[in-house]
Amino acid sequence: MCTRFIAFSIAIGASLAATPGRAETLNLLIWESYIDQKILDRWTDKTGIAVHQIFYDSSDARDEILSDPASNIDLAVVGETTADLFGKRGILEPLTESNAPSMKDYKPEWTSRCAGYAMPYLWGTMGIAYRSDMVKTTPASWSDLMSPAPELKKHVAMYDDHNEAFIAPLALLGKSINTNDSETLKAAFELMKKQAPFVLTYDYVITAIQNPEFRDNIYMAIAYSGDQHVLNDKAGTAGVWRYVVPKEGTLSWLDCMAVNAASPRKQLALQLLDFIGSPESAASNATALNMPTASDRALDLIAADMRSNREIYPPAEILAKSQYQTELSVQSIQTRRRIISAMANFQ
C-alpha cells in the first residue's frame, strides 16, 4: 500500500504542475469512472474552467492525499465517516444552502450523513460481483465469497481497505461491520485466512481488472453496487458481470462530495460542486452511471424503469439488513491493517 501511494503521489505532483498561460483548472479527487464526463464538459463549456480528475482506488489512499496540505486538491469524493472526521479537522469546507444552493434538494437524512461538510453524491451497497459465464450458480450468501467453490481458487478478488475488507467476514459472522472488539476481529481473521488461498488479488476489482495479469482470471469479487457496469465496460461484453447483495445483509454506503477548505480556488470549487449537485446534473450522472441519486428533485427526472431496478435501488428488505459505517477506534484500524498485511502469508 505504501509503495502504491508513493508512486501515486509523484504522479499527482507531476500532473498538477502549473503550466504558464494555462486556463484555470479545478482538481477533483475521485474514484475512476465515477462521474459522467459529459457533466464536466458542460461545466467547462459554461465557465471555461477545466476539471482535472485524479483517481484513487482505496479510501486509505484518498484520505492520505487529502490530508496533505500540498496536494492541490479542490474537490474530493469522500465517504461519510471521512466527511465528518476531516470536516471537524478543518480540512473540508462547511456546506450550507448559502454556499451550495443545491443542498436544499437533499433530505436531512442524507445531508446529516455528510455531517455538514459535504453534499450527498451517490449511494449504494456492497456485495458480490461475479462473471455469469464462469459462475453458474448465483451467489446468495457471503459464504459463497468467503468459502468459495474449489473451481474458484485463484479467481477471487478481495480488497485491502481496512473498512471494506471486513464487510464480508463480519456480516457472515452476524457482527457489526464497525466492531472495535479484538475477539470479533480475530474471528474475522480466521475466515479471511481460510479464504486467502482462493484470492488472486487484494486490489480493488476495478483496478485489478485493468491489469493484464488478472484481467481474464477474476470470476468473483467483493464490489460496490454499480461496479458491475464498469466491469462490463472493461470486459466489452454487456451483462457478463452481475451483482448481488448477500442474504446476511451488508454495508449501505453514501459518498459525499466535498470542497477542500485550503483550496486557492475555493469559490470556483463550490460553484462546481453546486453544478454537479443540481437536479439536472445529478439525474444525468446517476443515469449514466446506473447508480442511485440522493437528490429528491433529481429522482423525479429519472426514468421509472431505472427507479424500479432492484439492482440499482435496493428493496426495503435489503436496506433493513444493511449497516452504515461509523468511525473506528485507532486500535481497531491498526488491528485491521495488520490482518490485511498478513493475508499474503496465507495465499
Side-chain angles (χ1 to χ4, degrees):
M1 190 68 171
C2 185
T3 303
R4 278 195 303 177
F5 177 70
I6 291 171
F8 194 53
S9 296
I10 292 170
I12 289 176
S15 69
L16 301 187
T19 303
R22 187 174 179 180
E24 193 85 74
T25 298
L26 291 171
N27 300 309
L28 170 61
L29 185 63
I30 193 170
W31 298 96
E32 184 178 356
S33 302
Y34 204 40
I35 190 168
D36 182 14
Q37 183 60 42
K38 292 178 181 177
I39 292 172
L40 301 182
D41 292 343
R42 286 198 293 271
W43 160 263
T44 301
D45 290 343
K46 177 182 178 180
T47 65
I49 299 164
V51 180
H52 177 61
Q53 296 187 63
I54 301 101
F55 302 133
Y56 56 81
D57 67 355
S58 78
S59 57
D60 287 339
R62 175 202 63 213
D63 291 353
E64 196 165 352
I65 294 164
L66 200 53
S67 296
D68 181 1
S71 67
N72 205 25
I73 297 298
D74 299 300
L75 300 92
V77 170
V78 300
E80 54 195 299
T81 54
T82 296
D84 187 24
L85 180 63
F86 279 34
K88 290 175 179 175
R89 287 170 54 187
I91 294 172
L92 304 180
E93 184 74 6
L95 293 185
T96 66
E97 292 181 17
S98 296
N99 60 6
S102 293
M103 290 281 283
K104 69 181 183 302
D105 300 323
Y106 298 81
K107 290 180 178 177
E109 53 261 41
W110 289 115
T111 55
S112 64
R113 289 174 64 181
C114 294
Y117 297 101
M119 178 181 287
Y121 181 58
L122 295 168
W123 64 277
T125 56
M126 178 155 267
I128 300 172
Y130 66 100
R131 274 182 54 173
S132 57
D133 59 337
M134 294 296 182
V135 179
K136 300 304 181 183
T137 303
T138 301
S141 166
W142 284 118
S143 63
D144 296 319
L145 182 70
M146 296 305 301
S147 301
E151 60 269 22
L152 290 177
K153 190 167 187 177
K154 294 303 177 188
H155 292 296
V156 173
M158 291 302 288
Y159 192 15
D160 61 2
D161 182 274
H162 73 266
N163 277 309
E164 272 73 341
F166 289 83
I167 301 295
L170 289 173
L172 187 57
L173 289 167
K175 302 296 185 180
S176 167
I177 63 173
N178 302 302
T179 186
N180 294 314
D181 178 65
S182 59
E183 291 303 314
T184 302
L185 291 175
K186 286 179 184 178
F189 178 36
E190 293 302 317
L191 290 178
M192 295 164 75
K193 280 198 301 184
K194 292 177 182 177
Q195 183 208 36
F198 290 82
V199 177
L200 176 66
T201 176
Y202 286 92
D203 286 344
Y204 173 43
V205 65
I206 300 298
T207 301
I209 206 73
Q210 298 176 75
N211 183 334
E213 182 182 352
F214 302 144
R215 182 170 52 224
D216 297 325
N217 292 310
I218 301 174
Y219 300 166
M220 184 180 288
I222 191 164
Y224 299 105
S225 54
D227 282 351
Q228 71 275 25
H229 303 296
V230 180
L231 293 170
N232 283 324
D233 287 342
K234 302 291 184 186
T237 305
V240 68
W241 279 96
R242 297 178 184 170
Y243 174 84
V244 295
V245 176
K247 63 184 180 182
E248 294 87 2
T250 187
L251 163 69
S252 174
W253 56 264
L254 171 66
D255 275 339
C256 309
M257 186 166 285
V259 169
N260 186 351
S263 166
R265 298 164 291 273
K266 185 160 57 179
Q267 291 307 312
L268 288 175
L270 285 165
Q271 291 173 34
L272 174 56
L273 177 141
D274 191 60
F275 180 82
I276 292 171
S278 68
E280 296 76 17
S281 293
S284 62
N285 193 43
T287 300
L289 300 183
N290 288 293
M291 298 191 71
T293 178
S295 166
D296 275 1
R297 288 187 61 198
L299 191 61
D300 292 338
L301 302 177
I302 291 173
D305 59 342
M306 180 175 174
R307 296 199 306 268
S308 62
N309 187 329
R310 293 166 63 95
E311 197 172 278
I312 299 173
Y313 288 91
E317 61 267 24
I318 290 292
L319 294 178
K321 293 190 290 184
S322 298
Q323 305 178 52
Y324 299 160
Q325 282 179 334
T326 58
E327 187 177 348
L328 302 171
S329 70
V330 173
Q331 182 178 358
S332 177
I333 293 172
Q334 291 172 342
T335 299
R336 288 163 180 249
R337 286 177 172 163
R338 284 197 299 270
I339 290 172
I340 292 168
S341 297
M343 286 302 104
N345 298 325
F346 304 103
Q347 285 186 277

